[in-house]
Amino acid sequence: MSLDLPLRPELRGLSPYGAPQLDVPVLLNVNENPYPPSAALVDDVATSVAQAAAGLNRYPDRDALPLREDLAEYLARESGVRLPAGCIWAANGSNEVMLHLLQAFGGPGRTALSFAPTYSMYPEYARDTCTDWVAARREEDFSLDPGRAVAAVAEHAPAVVLLPSPNNPTGTALPASTLLAVLDAARQVPGGCVVVVDEAYAEFRREGTPSALELLEDHPHLAVSRTMSKAFGLAGARVGYLAASTEVVDALQVVRLPYHLSAVTQAVARAALRHTGSLMEQVASLRSERDRTVAWLRDRGLQAVDSDANFVLFGVLPDRVAVWQGLLDRGVLVRQTGPEGWLRVSIGTPAEMTAFREALVEVAGL
Ligand SMILES: *Cc1c(COP(=O)(O)O)cnc(C)c1O
């Protein structure tokens, strides 16, 4: 007997999103921080979780205000932009933040716009919130042409524009002038348009690359999302957050599930934020390892996109599937993403990057 489930037609035949989780020695495929939490951080997390555990019969602090205050304090230190806790929103990963944004501002008859190649989760948030999805194109060098970006906003009149900076999978950051042009164009959209700058990798940006946080004061329709998954090495804890006007944050509060952020998650995030100093030293060494990787790939005659993130997109490979498989056979897992012929490698420890380089030399005959 066949079972008839009323699955939404647009979900029929789809499988869940996700990169392969394989058990190999060198994992360079999902842009994680390769350094596990320090012993001091693990201790602090354990103590904080024990305290939270004593109150787990109660629902968590629904507004997570102490965490949002700590996040505001962190952003002030990191980017010099001081915001009240009411301008910060936190959720289970920035993926959930993004879903909240589309639940609040997207929906049937509305459009979300981004520029491909970009983060492969965006069309899924759009689909899940019944929001129309439009992917305009980036230029050949993966930059965003301000004139064409403005034209795309005018043409599609989106309710939401999703702009990762640095972009995944290319590593390309947005110049402030381009963002300002898009923000102006968004103001002209009838009914309004929220511009979301996804700064999941912001801590890895190179000297002189601005953060969109600096534009918040003058742009109440701007939202900047961040995550603790990458620079903080906390991917397993699922904490993402957003900085925006109180109007935007108030709208997100309406669509969130009650008690969406567990007491344990809040305790873990606050513990990690107390270790910002040592975590940011790690970020500095990952940035230099990234720059060394870009230089090495170019020395070997490959193209490598300038990166403001903790990964590098490289190519052009005549058969990227074969190179990916060859690396995997040597215990190195990278990501098949981006245009045909390109692969993305996350920045690991120096030893992991040596393994990557040695394997690539063998596989691609560099
Ligand atoms: C990794 C990543 C995120 C982070 O997602 P979390 O849900 O916070 O782990 C967000 N945006 C982009 C573009 C990413 O690559």
Side-chain angles (χ1 to χ4, degrees), residues 30-31 91-98 118-122 125 164-169 198-201 225-230 234-235 238-241 311 344:
V30 288
N31 302 340
N92 296 283
S94 51
N95 272 274
E96 190 181 41
V97 169
M98 220 66 76
T118 192
Y119 190 37
S120 36
M121 278 304 296
Y122 296 152
Y125 313 135
S165 179
N167 183 44
N168 182 2
D198 180 352
E199 290 194 347
Y201 301 95
S225 88
R226 294 264 185 129
T227 182
M228 297 188 77
S229 295
K230 311 286 164 57
L234 220 60
R238 312 302 303 126
V239 186
Y241 56 104
F311 56 82
R344 190 192 70 195

